[in-house]
Amino acid sequence: MADRAFGVVVVGAGPAGLTAACRAAECGKRVAMLDDNPQAGGQIWRGASPQAAAWMRRAERLEVEWISGARVFDAPAPQTLAVETFDGEFRVGYGSLILATGARERFLPFPGWTLPNAMGAGALQALAKSGLPLAGKRVVIAGSGPLLLAVADYMKAHGVDVRAIAEQAPQAAITRFAMRLAGHPGKLMQAIALRAGLLGVPYRTSCWPVSAQGKDRIESVTLRNAAGRTWTEACDYLACGFGLVPNLELAALLGCRIASARVEVDDQQQTAIAGVYAAGEATGIGGLELSLVEGEIAGYSAGGNVDRAQALFATRASHRRFAQALEAAFALRPELRSLPQPGTIVCRCEDVSFERVRACANWREAKLHTRCGMGPCQGRICGPSVEFLLGWGAESVRPPVFPARIGSLSR
Amino acid sequence: MPDSVKLTVNGVAVAAPAGAMVSTAVAMAGANAFRRSVSGEPRGPLCGMGICFECRVTIDGRAHCRSCQVVCREGMEVRTDG
Amino acid sequence: MGNSFDVAIAGGGIVGAACAEECAASGLKVVVVEPGPVGGGATAAGMGHIVVMDDSPAQIALTNYSRSLWMARAQEFPGDVEYVAAGTLWVAADEEEMAEVRRKLDVYHSIGVRASVLDARDIAKEEPNLRPGLAGGLLVPDDAVVYPPCAARYQLERARQNGAVLRIGESAASLSGAGIKLRDGTLLSAGITVNATGAWAPELTPGIEVRKRKGHLVITERYPGWVRHQLVELGYLKSAHSTTEDSVAFNVQPRKTGQLLIGSSRQFGAEHREIDHHMLVRMLARAQEYMPGLAQLSAIRSWTGFRAATPDKLPLIGPCPGDERLYVATGHEGLGITTSMATGKLVAALILGQTPAIPAALYLPGRKQEAHA
């Protein structure tokens, strides 16, 4: 059934996938690494990233088969994945599988959030790294998480006029987080350097967007703070994302155990399904260093080198503590549940308003009666926001886990 | 390897940097709306990573292509909704 | 409010909703019990195709009568019901099937159903995405398509406006001629109880001869105008006929949204809801035989559902032989959406002791059922 078979297949070529692929190959396994983007590096190492380049050179030396532009849409038979490319499709068989599917941004709807040029924070950075010319443009960065600072840093370095950074978390939470960074000296220095580089850009905590204005594209955004003060910033782009959520759809399709929106793994990074491992943001949002070490452990485990895997457990534990501090610091405040107005679009695929969704008793009813979550994004955008706004958990997953051509589905 | 790639967006010639995604070319062409939503609203990229489907355009006659994940190729014909 | 009713209906799918609407409109005190969401069972897995089907005289009578009820209300439905008179185009692959087309034409004309024959050139012009080389087809222009969950919701809302009580989110633990007992012990007593729980009817009323018949569906991205009519291969009836074999048939529908809904498949003995890959592949392969261009279209979702199938292919509508106060309204197999309206009318007429518009005897649960091969 499979067109090609490998000892280890790695899905995702971000930091976790790259390290996993290399370590598994070092153990002597025949490894293939797939990613739906044209280049490796995932989201965080986009563009000309020296770290990604270094790992790619290593992967090449180790003869890891790198398959770009490849999106896994189904698991049609045991130990087999169905993959679609721009022009074709293929089946790949695996002895072991490592899921390094990463994370996506969480979007919260507010009036005007659908205007062109309003997008995620990581999204604007990704587009910039893909060639979008932003020098001289006015950008407001909003939402939550360390990603906002990283994006602001990149923007400043590339001549963008960053007008403001609006972080919804309170200053006290950020400060507590920064104090905990003292336990991670490398990160502390990173944070200080970031803040220093951003001198001149207002970084406002307890602050969030309440509406965006514009006719055919965004022209301004209104921000408010916890004290109730509001003001409007003119802008060309709004880069707004409220933290990250793991990409779990393939793991769910394979039957992995998922709890608290993360794939459950044991010390070896193995999921509930024997031979299926997970590493990186999919096991819980934890940042770059944690993704790297989890990828290494998964790669060594899938490669059969228990000792090398075990040697990294302490590092992983340390980075996990950082991840927990991260989650606590940037928790979303309850005021954000009032962001959408009744008429605000919650499902962008099917243009379903908040009041229509809210009138339903649960996700299943909303899907059937309003079509919310029934569009091509398969609930990836509206799901996390509806979960935050209404407390509805995600439903079971069926193939295709990404839209796929009928010809690909019917092989 | 040329520094730029020539393609058209809604019939208008655009010279995009080599390796750039089609979404860049569409933005360079000045099109705000990549697509029109179900109720006719103009929409552009949201997630930048091939998940939201808001950046969909028609490439060489094929509809519903995610422009943020397709690299510009010489001679591509890109059509947006407006 | 009280817990005493004239009619208690278990099941808020398209059939239960039609029964509730009709009974409430007739002045009866109605309660409907549905674990939810409304239209979440087979109603959510139906193609929403309203069609006159000529497998047997009884089936023609029921589908024709019911279709006319849908047609009479076409202008009434809100937008989310998505009623469109798209028409059915029965596709003939060869001359043998064209003979069947002409036979069907005569049947339809004899009962006043508008239909016309398309030759090879006509059908290619009418549906350019059908593969070349087909022999022709039969166009039935008044057949329609709807979005069933919202149709069911609309009918229940109309019932509520006429005083019906809707217990959505609650489950029937048991039912009898005396009424419905809920999981929490509440007894909803009623003069007549109707089991409209589809393929699960035997769980509440043991002995009902209904079996689950699993089907798969796939829906695509929006491609407005790619298909104009509901396209069905003439072999569809052979597929629906079999009582033992798994089968697929070409069946593609244009939704009002511009999406294409692709069916159909039939399996017995499959009780799990997950996608069966071998059936999905067979169904999509069959569809591409008729419309090769489908291969390039983007599929965004697949799902399954369970039809309620009876031995003689006709639904069970009316009182149970053992208990006059206990009605069933189930067993509609692949025609539940079409025949829901007629079912509602028949149930209401039987309860009120009125003469229904078509003879009810053919669909009564007590009838002798012969399994067809």
Side-chain angles (χ1 to χ4, degrees):
Chain A
M1 218 220 193
D3 300 303
R4 315 187 53 189
F6 295 86
V8 176
V9 169
V10 179
V11 178
L18 275 166
T19 56
C22 288
R23 295 311 187 214
E26 277 167 24
C27 295
K29 296 287 183 184
R30 242 189 103 221
V31 180
M33 183 177 66
L34 281 58
D35 196 290
D36 57 357
N37 289 296
Q39 291 195 316
Q43 304 315 313
I44 196 166
W45 282 347
R46 265 194 192 247
S49 152
Q51 298 105 310
W55 282 100
M56 280 302 281
R57 279 193 298 275
R58 198 184 239 134
E60 210 174 332
R61 276 198 314 272
L62 292 162
E63 297 185 355
V64 169
E65 181 94 9
W66 158 227
I67 309 176
S68 65
R71 179 177 287 110
V72 179
F73 66 89
D74 195 6
Q79 298 183 281
T80 310
L81 298 177
V83 186
E84 197 174 71
T85 59
F86 190 73
D87 282 319
E89 49 81 34
F90 61 91
R91 298 281 163 94
V92 64
Y94 58 84
S96 299
L97 177 65
I98 303 178
L99 301 174
T101 47
R104 58 185 187 271
E105 288 184 270
R106 178 194 282 108
F107 297 96
L108 295 180
F110 51 87
W113 77 295
T114 60
L115 283 167
N117 297 348
M119 61 184 82
L124 186 62
Q125 178 167 288
L127 289 178
K129 289 184 174 182
S130 306
L132 187 71
L134 286 181
K137 302 283 192 208
R138 300 159 303 168
V139 173
V140 170
I141 299 175
S144 193
L147 180 60
L148 301 191
L149 280 171
V151 169
D153 184 46
Y154 176 87
M155 297 281 150
K156 287 286 287 182
H158 288 80
V160 175
D161 181 9
V162 181
R163 306 299 303 160
I165 305 168
E167 164 62 61
Q168 59 87 34
Q171 180 62 55
I174 310 266
T175 306
R176 267 198 305 276
F177 175 65
M179 303 268 281
R180 291 206 52 175
L181 287 183
H184 305 262
K187 285 197 177 302
L188 188 56
M189 289 321 299
Q190 234 179 59
I192 292 170
L194 267 181
R195 288 301 313 274
L198 290 170
L199 275 173
V201 179
Y203 179 72
R204 308 203 189 287
T205 54
S206 289
C207 180
W208 57 91
V210 288
S211 66
Q213 300 87 31
K215 188 167 165 291
D216 298 316
R217 56 177 183 77
I218 195 171
E219 288 161 22
S220 58
V221 59
T222 301
L223 303 164
R224 69 157 282 177
N225 63 19
R229 181 170 93 83
T230 64
W231 66 100
T232 300
E233 289 277 358
C235 61
D236 301 304
Y237 290 88
L238 172 65
C240 179
F242 291 87
L244 300 177
V245 291
N247 293 322
L248 300 173
E249 291 74 22
L250 182 55
L253 185 72
L254 289 164
C256 300
R257 198 158 42 232
I258 291 169
S260 308
R262 59 179 69 123
V263 186
E264 285 188 352
V265 292
D266 62 15
D267 280 341
Q268 276 68 43
Q269 301 289 144
Q270 185 163 221
T271 69
I273 308 290
V276 177
Y277 299 80
E281 307 283 61
T283 66
I285 305 301
L288 176 63
E289 275 81 5
L290 181 58
S291 292
L292 290 168
V293 70
E294 283 193 355
E296 291 192 83
I297 294 172
Y300 283 134
S301 300
N305 195 325
V306 174
D307 291 335
R308 287 250 173 102
Q310 211 149 16
L312 293 169
F313 285 6
T315 310
R316 179 178 60 188
S318 157
H319 291 313
R320 276 214 176 122
R321 285 192 288 275
F322 168 72
Q324 279 150 10
L326 195 72
E327 192 178 337
F330 294 99
L332 294 182
R333 55 200 310 152
E335 292 96 313
L336 298 175
R337 293 200 171 88
S338 318
L339 274 182
Q341 297 302 300
T344 305
I345 299 248
V346 164
C347 166
R348 296 170 67 127
C349 293
E350 299 290 327
D351 279 4
V352 186
S353 69
F354 184 48
E355 65 186 332
R356 289 187 63 211
V357 175
R358 169 169 73 172
C360 298
N362 51 50
W363 239 138
R364 184 117 207 281
E365 187 177 313
K367 285 181 169 184
L368 279 181
H369 291 176
T370 71
R371 315 293 294 164
C372 178
M374 299 283 253
C377 95
Q378 301 176 328
R380 284 181 171 86
I381 301 299
C382 60
S385 73
V386 166
E387 180 160 31
F388 174 71
L389 294 169
L390 300 173
W392 295 346
E395 289 223 312
S396 65
V397 159
R398 282 183 307 264
V401 293
F402 275 104
R405 289 183 292 273
I406 289 180
S408 307
L409 260 186
S410 57
R411 241 195 67 162
Chain B
M1 165 106 167
D3 274 335
S4 75
V5 174
K6 281 191 270 302
L7 60 154
T8 66
V9 177
N10 297 331
V12 174
V14 171
M21 301 300 169
V22 171
S23 49
T24 298
V26 173
M28 288 172 70
N32 281 319
F34 282 58
R35 72 174 200 102
R36 292 270 155 189
S37 77
V38 163
S39 55
E41 288 183 358
R43 295 285 172 81
L46 174 71
C47 77
M49 54 188 284
I51 272 174
C52 72
F53 281 81
E54 294 281 57
C55 70
R56 277 176 283 170
V57 295
T58 300
I59 297 179
D60 293 337
R62 187 198 297 195
H64 303 299
C65 295
R66 279 161 273 189
S67 57
C68 70
Q69 287 190 314
V70 178
V71 178
C72 291
R73 275 202 302 261
E74 189 77 20
M76 251 181 186
E77 283 184 20
V78 178
R79 298 240 153 234
T80 70
D81 276 355
Chain C
M1 179 170 81
N3 283 332
S4 186
F5 301 89
D6 296 319
V7 184
I9 301 173
I14 194 94
V15 170
C19 292
E21 190 191 32
E22 204 52 46
C23 289
S26 307
L28 294 164
K29 257 186 82 185
V30 175
V31 64
V32 179
V33 176
E34 167 56 58
V38 165
T43 302
M47 283 191 91
H49 183 201
I50 297 167
V51 56
V52 177
M53 197 68 86
D54 65 329
D55 189 31
S56 64
Q59 194 182 79
I60 301 177
L62 189 65
T63 55
N64 191 24
Y65 171 44
S66 202
R67 191 188 76 160
S68 67
L69 295 169
W70 279 101
M71 287 168 67
R73 302 177 69 175
Q75 305 308 318
E76 169 197 332
F77 300 120
D80 63 357
V81 173
E82 293 181 7
Y83 180 97
V84 177
T88 304
L89 182 39
W90 293 90
V91 179
D94 52 35
E95 274 316 306
E96 189 185 338
E97 293 192 347
M98 276 309 279
E100 174 62 14
V101 160
R102 286 185 276 273
R103 189 202 64 79
K104 270 173 96 80
L105 179 79
D106 290 340
V107 170
Y108 285 142
H109 280 169
S110 73
I111 56 171
V113 168
R114 291 201 303 163
S116 56
V117 174
L118 274 64
D119 66 18
R121 205 170 42 209
D122 295 331
I123 200 173
K125 234 177 95 189
E126 192 64 22
E127 295 282 4
N129 286 309
L130 280 170
R131 72 161 172 85
L134 294 167
L138 182 74
L139 178 62
V140 186
D142 298 316
D143 284 352
V145 304
V146 290
Y147 179 57
C150 286
R153 183 169 78 152
Y154 171 71
Q155 290 189 283
L156 279 182
E157 180 52 32
R158 293 266 314 199
R160 199 187 59 76
Q161 284 161 11
N162 278 325
V165 171
L166 306 181
R167 307 282 298 237
I168 311 296
E170 305 193 57
S171 294
S174 65
L175 60 78
S176 70
I180 296 175
K181 193 182 234 175
L182 299 177
R183 286 257 160 88
D184 68 5
T186 312
L187 175 64
L188 305 170
S189 65
I192 302 282
T193 305
V194 181
N195 184 343
T197 58
W200 292 266
E203 287 174 28
L204 285 169
T205 307
I208 294 184
E209 281 196 273
V210 147
R211 282 202 294 161
K212 293 190 177 80
R213 201 150 189 215
K214 187 172 180 180
H216 288 69
L217 291 123
V218 169
I219 195 165
T220 69
E221 268 275 27
R222 287 170 156 84
Y223 299 97
W226 210 84
V227 173
R228 281 177 210 150
H229 310 287
Q230 173 110 21
L231 302 178
V232 189
E233 64 163 294
L234 276 158
Y236 176 82
L237 273 179
K238 276 199 289 275
S239 169
H241 243 297
S242 168
T243 54
T244 48
E245 301 267 304
D246 293 348
S247 60
V248 299
F250 167 63
N251 200 339
V252 171
Q253 175 187 101
R255 304 287 324 284
K256 197 171 186 181
T257 59
Q259 293 169 283
L260 304 187
L261 184 56
I262 303 171
S264 60
S265 79
R266 285 174 158 79
Q267 293 161 272
F268 280 118
E271 303 265 325
H272 54 275
R273 291 181 184 281
E274 285 82 42
I275 297 289
D276 293 302
H277 277 91
H278 67 284
M279 292 304 298
L280 189 72
V281 168
R282 270 182 73 184
M283 184 179 86
L284 293 176
R286 186 65 177 164
Q288 289 170 87
E289 281 176 45
Y290 283 83
M291 308 193 93
L294 280 174
Q296 295 309 312
L297 302 190
S298 179
I300 64 176
R301 210 169 63 257
S302 68
W303 67 107
T304 64
F306 295 99
R307 305 174 185 83
T310 58
D312 66 359
K313 318 284 182 316
L314 295 172
L316 300 159
I317 307 173
C320 290
D323 183 350
E324 275 197 339
R325 298 171 311 154
L326 177 55
Y327 278 46
V328 294
T330 180
H332 295 78
E333 222 267 352
L335 290 169
I337 311 304
T338 299
T339 60
S340 57
M341 294 254 186
T343 303
K345 290 279 188 191
L346 284 171
V347 164
L350 288 166
I351 290 174
L352 292 163
Q354 295 164 351
T355 311
I358 59 171
L362 297 169
Y363 319 105
L364 287 174
R367 69 183 186 268
K368 186 157 177 285
Q369 291 215 49
E370 280 156 22
H372 291 193

